[in-house]
Amino acid sequence: MNIPYTVEERPDTGLYNAKLGVWLFLASEVMLFGGLFSAYIFLRFGAPAGAFHEWGQELNVPLATFNTMILITSSVTMVMSWASLKLNDFKKFKLYMGVTLLCALVFLFIKYLEYTAKFDHHIYPSTNTFYAIYFTLTGLHGLHIIGGMAVLFYLWLPGNKMWNSDPEQFTNRIEIVGLYWHFVDLVWIFLFPILYLL
Amino acid sequence: MSNDHNHHEESFFRKYIWSTDHKIIGIQYGFTALFFLLVGFSLMMVMRWQLAYPETRIPFVGSIFGDDGILLPEIYNSLGAMHGTIMIFLGIVPLAVGAFGNYLVPLQIGAPDMAFPKLNAASYWSYLVGGLVMMSSFFTEEGAARSGWTSYPPLADIEVGQTIWLIGMIFLITSSLLGSMNIITTIVQLRAPGLTWMRLPFFVWAQLVTSFLLVLAFPPLEAAAVLQLMDRVVGTSFFLPSGLVVSGELMEVSGGGSPLLWQHLFWFLAHPEVYVLILPAMGIVSEVIANNSRKPLWGYNSLVFATIFLGFMSFIVWAHHMFLTGMGTAMSAFFQTTTMIISIPSVIILSALFISLWGASIRFNTPMLFALAFLPMFGIGGLTGLPLGLAAADIYLHDTYYVIGHFHYVVAPGTIFGLFAGIYYWYPKITGRKMNESLGKLHFWPSLLFMNGIFMPMFIQGLAGVSRRLWDGGLEYAHASGVFHWNEFMSISAWLLGLAQIPFILNVFYSIFRGEKVDNNPWESTTLEWSAPSPPLPHVNFETLPTVYRDPYEYSLPGRNRDFTPQSEPKKNK
Amino acid sequence: MSNSHDSSDIKNHIKVYLYVFGALAILTVLTVAASYLKLSDGEAILLALIIASVKGSLVAGYFMHLISERAMIVWILMLTSGFFFVLMLIPMLSYIDQARLG
Ligand code: HEM
Ligand SMILES: [Cu+2]
């Protein structure tokens, strides 16, 4: 069985199937986080004036800034690994992908430090609505990182044999997970100010 | 190509159970969804006993509900919540989108399969797991969820059974998301050569818009489900206000949340969801009507644009479910306006279908009867929606049986009749045999009669002010005393409706073996699925992938030697 | 986008990626710096959201190649962002509207 346009582009839409598929998935992700952002706004309005800002003071801004940088770096290395494949440089691809994964690990480790610091101060999701939404948003974002890492890892090591058998499809796959990875970065770009700074 | 697939015969398991063939997955969806529809309906038949004869022993199944066989209020609530959940999320959506969408979309656009066959299988299995999780809640010590299919907090945050409901919902939402992304990609990418947008059968358009609704509206409910799960499991208060008092006692909650937040997120999905329920049925009905009236659909373009507009508008009407939440006047005015506007495309669609019948020599076979009955039934449902969309009337009617009557007219004799029409119509494609016509009519006429017997009196009760979730059917309320006697009538209708489904069930199984054998195109139809063998070839569908040369409904065009011209028939050079 | 790039094209892209990376880093510092300004709540929120949106557009436009993406994708995303704003705004507006009643 051959499904058309799995690798090559359909002339009139200019897309291969997975490209459209992943964008639809990202569209649904936008709405998923949209629901949570909407909840954030609603709860912020419902809280006493200034309370959200005040409750947020407990968060560690330097760590989060560092984490933002880490995630941005991982986004660059991600897109570089794709570009390396385009340049037929498989070694560089593996290098950049490795760095991306490393960044993801560092990000999660710092998140872990932040969480435990909160728990040590007896701050939990049930403490108030700010922390409720804080833990939910960052937790869900963290799950997205973990899911992304699993796929990246697969393509980095066990799945990279495809580069020899079907380089074009492999490059497409890297592009697809790349899109997802950048999206996760993009979500963080918004989470950072609304949770840590405002 | 036709020999290709014979080289490696697949094992039984790979072929029928763990399959990636859209036709097998469609059939799996179909049978699972029909089974759940039956389960959901059975729950309601039990509840109707309690409503007709409050606090008497339920015949046959009473012993399940305790020694005295009486349906207790808690259980009544569980059955009600699960009835709604099962019918909508486990029955109609999987049948309309999972089964019909899966089976027919690739065939109607001339594709060998869905764009992502593995994802397609994943979508079915996620649905099945979600369904089993939901069912399992009946067998837990706490019992199933009791807070209505809408799961409003604070009740849903504190009432038992809800956690499993939420976990089940997360599986079901995931399933729908995967399925609908797949359908969109398939329609955009895998259309046969020559099948331009305005040559798509209307059913494909309906599925496309439906899938967009699912992709964009379901995620916020998933978010809301996560929040409610957090409330229940880790003690957050997204939906619980400070100072919440339950049964006269102050609840210990961290507070600061808002029940209204849930309602916004829920209805952001659930209004588009009602169009998810109706659009595929409209698509099916259009195909059946075009075929059996032997005429091109009247106003194909306006049907398409009305559907797109409907999908678009359905995202900005949701708060008409919330008029009674103390909403401000500006918002209320906004939502009344959008609700009135959204009824325009519905009217356009319905009118176009009615006009399509004008002057036609109609073939009154079973699929056509169901399709024809759909029109006035949907009409009643839609018209009774209008007073609900006006706050002044809705303040009185909200949460009464009138609302139940309204939406059941759209989904039960509406959508479900549409789905029945589809089953009778495409059965020959799936099995190579027609369903039995006499049994079909024996199914149709009583169903039509008893559907109205159940739902019409609901308007009477609702207008009298009877609330929708009363365990005793209104027995203890003075204002309900004048209309209480209708309960028995409605309940008997419901049980008879149950009986009326027996010919259908028999017919489905009987016709697999004994139905009249037919060729590939028994209804003399124009769309592509009928140019494939019956059943279509595993994994490739068509002997050679078709090319499209014409519009979808070229019926009875003057100067042709037959009264239909298939889409895949080349135009002759003059 | 299989055949549309040759390698000099890609090398140009790589340069752009590095610029974008620089811009994102600077903007991150700016966001943090802005939070130390003495601004009213509304101004602070507006400023932070503007900076975040610029950063987001850079990521979406360049890393995700949206800037040269096919019309179909762009349409889908415009539709999505439309509904995204509806989802943000309407609950908020209805909150305000309700609060106005007192
Ligand atoms: C055509 C125009 C329609 C209008 C103006 C309309 C209007 C409304 C309104 C205002 C309500 C809220 C009533 C209340 O709770 O007080 C409502 C409820 C409902 N409608 Fe419609 N509706 C229409 C069509 C449909 C369709 C096509 C469907 C489904 C296929 C549908 C399904 C429902 C459902 C399921 C509910 C009740 C939800 C619940 O509270 O449990 N409606 N409708
Ligand atoms: Cu509605």
Side-chain angles (χ1 to χ4, degrees):
Chain A
M1 163 196 44
N2 276 322
I3 310 254
Y5 312 118
T6 36
V7 183
E8 76 287 6
E9 295 164 1
R10 181 181 162 109
D12 59 350
T13 59
L15 299 166
Y16 56 93
N17 297 342
K19 179 79 152 288
L20 180 58
V22 78
W23 274 111
L24 287 167
F25 174 65
L26 294 183
S28 81
E29 291 277 274
V30 168
M31 297 310 284
L32 176 71
F33 281 99
L36 296 174
F37 283 136
S38 185
Y40 169 89
I41 298 174
F42 206 80
L43 294 172
R44 192 180 170 115
F45 269 91
F52 256 46
H53 181 70
E54 204 172 295
W55 289 330
Q57 295 297 319
E58 302 275 337
L59 294 176
N60 190 329
V61 177
L63 270 188
T65 312
F66 180 69
N67 241 353
T68 309
M69 290 295 190
I70 289 288
L71 219 49
I72 292 174
T73 310
S74 85
S75 237
V76 180
T77 55
M78 180 74 234
V79 72
M80 292 298 273
S81 73
W82 170 76
S84 308
L85 286 183
K86 281 282 185 190
L87 294 172
N88 263 322
D89 191 339
F90 189 64
K91 276 221 177 78
K92 273 232 181 96
F93 156 76
K94 288 197 57 169
L95 175 73
Y96 281 125
M97 198 58 132
V99 178
T100 311
L101 275 163
L102 190 70
C103 285
L105 270 180
V106 172
F107 180 89
L108 285 181
F109 179 68
I110 291 182
K111 216 60 251 157
Y112 164 78
L113 291 183
E114 285 192 65
Y115 272 23
T116 44
K118 293 284 120 14
F119 296 152
D120 286 346
H121 287 85
H122 300 289
I123 294 176
Y124 302 106
S126 55
T127 301
N128 54 42
T129 46
F130 175 77
Y131 282 103
I133 195 78
Y134 164 82
F135 279 107
T136 311
L137 273 169
T138 55
L140 206 64
H141 179 263
L143 284 180
H144 277 76
I145 297 267
I146 293 172
M149 282 174 74
V151 180
L152 289 184
F153 182 82
Y154 171 78
L155 292 172
W156 186 46
L157 294 179
N160 73 22
K161 288 182 207 75
M162 193 183 212
W163 173 249
N164 298 320
S165 59
D166 192 348
E168 209 176 327
Q169 186 163 14
F170 186 69
T171 312
N172 282 351
R173 287 197 173 172
I174 297 298
E175 187 184 9
I176 297 297
V177 288
L179 286 172
Y180 170 79
W181 194 256
H182 300 312
F183 173 79
V184 176
D185 180 26
L186 209 157
V187 170
W188 182 260
I189 286 177
F190 283 91
L191 287 187
F192 173 56
I194 68 167
L195 292 176
Y196 289 85
L197 301 177
L198 291 177
Chain B
M1 187 177 267
S2 58
N3 293 332
D4 241 20
H5 63 278
N6 289 332
H7 288 319
H8 45 278
E9 264 307 322
E10 292 172 313
S11 67
F12 175 85
F13 186 71
R14 191 76 180 74
K15 200 165 169 186
Y16 294 109
I17 313 286
W18 205 248
S19 175
T20 56
D21 185 330
H22 74 102
K23 297 180 291 297
I24 303 293
I25 297 175
I27 293 170
Q28 289 173 329
Y29 257 117
F31 274 104
T32 317
L34 282 171
F35 169 75
F36 278 125
L37 278 181
L38 191 64
V39 173
F41 185 59
S42 310
L43 300 185
M44 183 44 73
M45 288 200 284
V46 173
M47 294 168 72
R48 289 276 8 153
W49 182 271
Q50 163 65 21
L51 292 175
Y53 313 109
E55 296 184 67
T56 56
R57 189 185 173 83
I58 305 169
F60 310 122
V61 293
S63 53
I64 303 176
F65 303 100
D67 291 338
D68 52 4
I70 292 170
L71 199 59
L72 297 173
E74 309 81 277
I75 311 292
Y76 179 90
N77 284 348
S78 270
L79 298 190
M82 294 309 284
H83 164 77
T85 306
I86 291 171
M87 289 311 219
I88 290 183
F89 296 113
L90 292 171
I92 294 183
V93 176
L95 189 56
V97 182
F100 279 99
N102 240 314
Y103 199 96
L104 291 169
V105 165
L107 285 168
Q108 285 203 325
I109 63 171
D113 203 323
M114 295 286 253
F116 310 115
K118 284 184 195 142
L119 218 58
N120 202 12
S123 151
Y124 172 74
W125 290 103
S126 176
Y127 157 57
L128 189 65
V129 171
L132 292 178
V133 169
M134 286 283 184
M135 288 299 116
S136 72
S137 64
F138 281 112
F139 304 101
T140 58
E141 210 170 311
E142 295 188 330
R146 292 174 186 175
S147 316
W149 80 283
T150 55
S151 289
Y152 276 11
L155 187 63
D157 265 18
I158 53 185
E159 183 59 284
V160 299
Q162 189 69 16
T163 305
I164 297 185
W165 189 91
L166 290 166
I167 294 170
M169 277 312 286
I170 288 174
F171 277 103
L172 295 176
I173 294 172
T174 306
S175 157
S176 276
L177 288 177
L178 295 179
S180 46
M181 287 166 201
N182 212 341
I183 288 181
I184 297 175
T185 309
T186 306
I187 296 176
V188 172
Q189 290 287 96
L190 303 188
R191 277 167 294 133
L195 189 54
T196 53
W197 289 107
M198 293 320 263
R199 281 178 175 171
L200 286 179
F202 181 66
F203 175 79
V204 177
W205 272 110
Q207 289 285 337
L208 183 68
V209 175
T210 303
S211 300
F212 265 106
L213 298 184
L214 286 171
V215 167
L216 296 178
F218 245 141
L221 182 66
E222 189 152 27
V226 169
L227 297 184
Q228 202 174 76
L229 208 56
M230 294 282 287
D231 274 6
R232 295 182 59 88
V233 179
V234 299
T236 56
S237 282
F238 286 108
F239 305 125
L240 297 175
S242 311
L244 178 68
V245 175
V246 175
S247 314
E249 272 180 55
L250 193 63
M251 290 278 289
E252 257 189 63
V253 294
S254 52
S258 164
L260 281 189
L261 174 59
W262 169 268
Q263 295 198 20
H264 279 298
L265 294 177
F266 181 85
W267 289 113
F268 185 87
L269 159 85
H271 188 86
E273 174 83 5
V274 307
Y275 289 95
V276 169
L277 300 174
I278 199 73
L279 284 177
M282 284 175 168
I284 292 170
V285 165
S286 309
E287 298 293 312
V288 174
I289 286 187
N291 177 261
N292 288 303
S293 64
R294 314 306 290 163
K295 281 176 62 195
L297 278 184
W298 189 89
Y300 170 84
N301 289 358
S302 38
L303 275 172
V304 170
F305 291 120
T307 307
I308 295 173
F309 182 63
L310 192 75
F312 192 78
M313 287 300 291
S314 71
F315 281 92
I316 48 172
V317 298
W318 80 79
H320 63 209
H321 297 270
M322 298 166 63
F323 286 137
L324 239 72
T325 57
M327 179 188 280
T329 46
M331 272 296 126
S332 161
F334 173 77
F335 281 107
Q336 294 180 62
T337 313
T338 54
T339 304
M340 291 304 115
I341 292 175
I342 202 176
S343 54
I344 297 172
S346 315
V347 172
I348 293 178
I349 293 173
L350 200 58
S351 311
L353 292 177
F354 265 120
I355 298 173
S356 297
L357 299 173
W358 188 267
S361 44
I362 298 173
R363 302 192 299 208
F364 288 99
N365 47 32
T366 313
M368 187 59 168
L369 289 177
F370 276 106
L372 288 176
F374 170 91
L375 301 178
M377 295 297 111
F378 174 73
I380 296 176
L383 285 176
T384 52
L386 292 176
L388 296 176
L390 297 166
D394 186 58
I395 285 172
Y396 179 75
L397 293 171
H398 178 68
D399 265 356
T400 65
Y401 264 100
Y402 182 92
V403 176
I404 310 291
H406 153 65
F407 72 74
H408 278 92
Y409 260 98
V410 237
V411 278
T415 299
I416 291 183
F417 275 12
L419 297 174
F420 277 139
I423 292 173
Y424 283 97
Y425 182 66
W426 278 293
Y427 191 91
K429 183 48 52 190
I430 300 170
T431 61
R433 292 169 188 270
K434 268 191 189 175
M435 288 176 82
N436 183 296
E437 274 291 318
S438 318
L439 282 174
K441 289 186 173 129
L442 197 62
H443 175 209
F444 170 73
W445 288 109
S447 292
L448 179 65
L449 185 68
F450 298 129
M451 281 280 187
N452 284 284
I454 303 171
F455 298 120
M456 193 60 87
M458 288 192 181
F459 293 128
I460 301 172
Q461 290 197 330
L463 287 168
V466 179
S467 167
R468 68 191 271 187
R469 287 192 171 116
L470 296 179
W471 166 67
D472 63 359
L475 188 63
E476 285 171 22
Y477 294 80
H479 69 273
S481 58
V483 291
F484 180 83
H485 62 277
W486 280 108
N487 278 335
E488 187 175 10
F489 178 84
M490 289 147 77
S491 294
I492 291 173
S493 297
W495 301 320
L496 291 175
L497 181 67
L499 284 183
Q501 305 315 302
I502 291 174
F504 171 70
I505 297 171
L506 288 180
N507 205 348
V508 166
F509 291 105
Y510 168 85
S511 303
I512 294 179
F513 307 105
R514 292 290 166 80
E516 176 198 346
K517 269 199 178 148
V518 289
D519 65 0
N520 291 342
N521 190 1
W523 310 113
E524 308 195 300
S525 176
T526 54
T527 43
L528 288 181
E529 75 272 30
W530 300 103
S531 66
S534 300
L537 304 173
H539 289 300
V540 293
N541 287 342
F542 299 89
E543 252 134 32
T544 47
L545 287 180
T547 304
V548 170
Y549 299 94
R550 10 181 121 250
D551 287 345
Y553 307 110
E554 299 207 344
Y555 288 106
S556 307
L557 293 190
R560 305 261 167 94
N561 48 8
R562 287 182 304 181
D563 79 339
F564 70 105
T565 322
Q567 278 190 287
S568 55
E569 190 172 302
K571 293 198 170 155
K572 285 194 203 81
N573 299 326
K574 279 197 197 130
Chain C
M1 306 193 142
S2 29
N3 302 319
S4 50
H5 308 284
D6 49 26
S7 50
S8 75
D9 232 12
I10 293 289
K11 290 200 173 113
N12 279 336
H13 275 205
I14 292 181
K15 238 184 253 154
V16 175
Y17 297 150
L18 295 178
Y19 286 138
V20 171
F21 177 54
L24 289 173
I26 294 170
L27 285 169
T28 305
V29 175
L30 270 185
T31 333
V32 179
S35 69
Y36 290 101
L37 294 177
K38 290 253 169 305
L39 295 175
S40 75
D41 249 18
E43 288 163 347
I45 292 175
L46 199 68
L47 188 61
L49 285 185
I50 289 175
I51 298 179
S53 306
V54 174
K55 287 169 74 181
S57 317
L58 287 175
V59 171
Y62 293 98
F63 291 172
M64 302 169 90
H65 305 123
L66 259 190
I67 211 148
S68 56
E69 196 44 276
R70 309 291 171 176
M72 172 72 66
I73 305 265
V74 175
W75 278 112
I76 291 175
L77 290 177
M78 291 199 341
L79 186 74
T80 310
S81 47
F83 292 144
F84 177 86
F85 284 112
V86 167
L87 179 59
M88 293 300 113
L89 287 178
I90 290 188
M92 182 172 93
L93 291 176
S94 76
Y95 190 94
I96 296 171
D97 195 31
Q98 194 157 17
R100 215 168 40 107
L101 291 179

